[in-house]
Amino acid sequence: MSADSMATGRNEHYTRTLWRRFRDWRGQRPFWAGLFTLIGGIPIAYFPYASLKLGHLTLSMSTTAGAGSLIIGVLLVTLGLTMWFHHIVRVFAGVAAILLALISIPVANLGGFVIGFVFALLGGALSVSWVPGKPIVHEAEPVAPPERAETPPAALAPMSAEPVDPHEKTTIDPHGGRNSAG
């Protein structure tokens, strides 16, 4: 296997390729926020219409607010899908999910017996706080040349009491003295 075949996906099993594509798709949007919001909408919409049969006894959770529960649940599922497929409006969808979760407490059997409320509230909070990541750029950083410790010529020459004529041409003696050339 060459490095080229690994980079393009050739010679890989299709499930590994699908998983990698899903992982890339998931990383570009608030996936967990959408999933929690979607999961939160299901119990809110379901419990008011559910009936449980225990032998000859039928337990029904139907309330007069069944239509309100259905609307809140469907809106939460829609907001969860919006977070996945239109992640540009994630802040609006998150705030709307939080408000619908709070409204579901009095309207929809304590927010789907608190299960739907917690999931919708968590999904809305995750959506509001999600920020798209910056792409990773793998570039080689330019290497700077090593800095040389250069000292100015004035620091090398010993200071003398005699004034130096600025028009006189002077050179630095390697032994530390000044030589006049001229």
Side-chain angles (χ1 to χ4, degrees), residues 97-120:
I98 291 171
L99 290 175
L100 285 172
L102 291 172
I103 289 173
S104 74
I105 291 175
V107 172
N109 294 333
L110 295 174
F113 297 118
V114 185
I115 299 167
F117 165 72
V118 169
F119 275 113

Side-chain angles (χ1 to χ4, degrees), residues 8 12 17 26 36 67 99 111 143 146 160:
T8 60
E12 277 190 292
T17 305
R26 187 184 67 192
F36 286 152
L99 290 175
V143 178
S160 63

Side-chain angles (χ1 to χ4, degrees), residues 29 60 71 96 104 164:
R29 60 202 75 246
S60 181
I71 290 171
S104 74
V164 178

